[in-house]
Amino acid sequence: MCIIIKQRFEESIARNLRRPSNDLYGFIIKHFLITRNEQKNRKVIELLQLQSHHNILEIGFGPGEGLKLTLDTTGHGNPSGRIYGVDFSSRMCEEVQKRFCDEIDKGRMSILNEDVSTMSIPDNTIDKVFHINSHLYWSDIDKSCAEIYRVMKSCGNMATVVNFGAIESSKRSSTILKYAVNSTPEIYTNALVNAGFVDIKMTTVGIQRGHELKAILCTKTWICRCLMRNYIL
């Protein structure tokens, strides 16, 4: 009986880690994400050097803490840039739309209940992209990275911060990450290469729960750099 209860509990947690729902487990996961991802959100936004004129996209925003930090960093007034959030959890979208209703009404923010592989954002719109752990759950990571590449401007940057050590440890001890199918850095970086991203780098940016936090950064093409270099010469 205890084994069955444990299996059901882990299955509910696993499903809600992938897509938070309206049940008790979704509530638990929401608050888990707020505390567990705070350090990652701060680091990824610091790495991207966000400015008020940037169009910024967060993929898999969950409770919206990354969006709030983006607003705090780039300004709540009337900057020229726009903040986009894409998440395929209807619960998270509904909560975040209520939370940032003023910014949405002003046209400062757009919240899209969509899958990352089929976004409605126009081509060449986004300057900066970030996501925290959502890529672990992309059902078609190659298609998703190609779609992100499409919506980004040339020379735009994308970053994520991941605790791969904690993920590996959790996978060994339980099934709560059973749906995290893209759990190694190689799967993600290979998809970035296939999509056309360049300047792909992985660096250590901190420690969390005894494991290294790894940042992975990339750029959409370097053509503009080459052109600028030739122009200067």
Side-chain angles (χ1 to χ4, degrees):
M1 180 63 70
C2 289
I3 293 176
I4 294 174
I5 293 173
K6 179 176 181 292
Q7 289 174 340
R8 289 178 177 174
F9 173 78
E10 290 188 357
E11 173 62 24
S12 296
I13 293 296
R15 284 189 286 102
N16 277 275
L17 279 171
R18 178 176 178 269
R19 178 185 286 184
S21 62
N22 289 316
D23 59 16
L24 174 62
Y25 293 101
F27 177 82
I28 293 171
I29 291 302
K30 171 187 172 181
H31 290 277
F32 169 83
L33 294 175
I34 290 173
T35 56
R36 189 56 58 85
N37 289 340
E38 179 181 2
Q39 183 181 1
K40 301 187 190 84
N41 278 321
R42 293 189 178 280
K43 182 57 65 173
V44 78
I45 287 176
E46 175 187 326
L47 289 168
L48 284 174
Q49 299 181 336
L50 303 182
Q51 302 294 322
S52 60
H53 63 276
H54 288 150
N55 288 334
I56 303 160
L57 167 63
E58 181 180 10
I59 301 165
F61 50 75
E65 296 303 298
L67 295 174
K68 180 181 183 302
L69 190 55
T70 300
L71 276 169
D72 293 342
T73 302
T74 59
H76 287 256
N78 295 300
S80 57
R82 190 169 193 170
I83 299 170
Y84 295 80
V86 169
D87 200 305
F88 77 160
S89 167
S90 57
R91 171 180 181 164
M92 292 295 96
C93 286
E94 289 169 4
E95 292 191 7
V96 166
Q97 284 169 342
K98 293 176 183 177
R99 180 177 182 180
F100 299 111
C101 59
D102 289 343
E103 287 77 11
I104 293 170
D105 289 343
K106 294 175 184 176
R108 176 79 171 101
M109 182 183 291
S110 294
I111 299 300
L112 305 172
N113 187 191
E114 299 175 348
D115 190 283
V116 62
S117 65
T118 54
M119 293 184 285
S120 61
I121 300 171
D123 295 358
N124 306 309
T125 298
I126 305 298
D127 298 285
K128 305 284 185 177
V129 180
F130 70 96
H131 54 89
I132 302 296
N133 294 333
S134 68
H135 78 278
L136 302 174
Y137 297 96
W138 296 345
S139 57
D140 188 333
I141 194 167
D142 285 314
K143 184 177 180 182
S144 297
C145 287
E147 181 70 351
I148 296 169
Y149 189 93
R150 177 188 68 77
V151 305
M152 289 176 66
K153 296 179 182 178
S154 181
C155 293
N157 306 116
M158 178 163 66
T160 186
V161 174
V162 188
N163 191 332
F164 287 110
I167 291 169
E168 182 181 352
S169 177
S170 293
K171 277 184 166 283
R172 286 198 304 264
S173 61
S174 72
T175 61
I176 63 172
L177 294 180
K178 63 185 290 186
Y179 298 115
V181 294
N182 307 307
S183 59
T184 68
E186 292 78 15
I187 293 174
Y188 179 57
T189 55
N190 286 341
L192 294 177
V193 171
N194 293 339
F197 287 100
V198 296
D199 293 346
I200 301 168
K201 301 172 184 176
M202 183 166 71
T203 59
T204 301
V205 293
I207 301 293
Q208 185 184 60
R209 295 165 57 204
H211 300 286
E212 293 182 340
L213 285 178
K214 296 291 186 179
I216 301 178
L217 301 96
C218 63
T219 302
K220 177 177 177 176
T221 75
W222 53 35
I223 293 176
C224 63
R225 295 183 185 176
C226 296
L227 290 174
M228 183 59 72
R229 188 181 301 116
N230 291 335
Y231 178 78
I232 293 172
L233 293 176

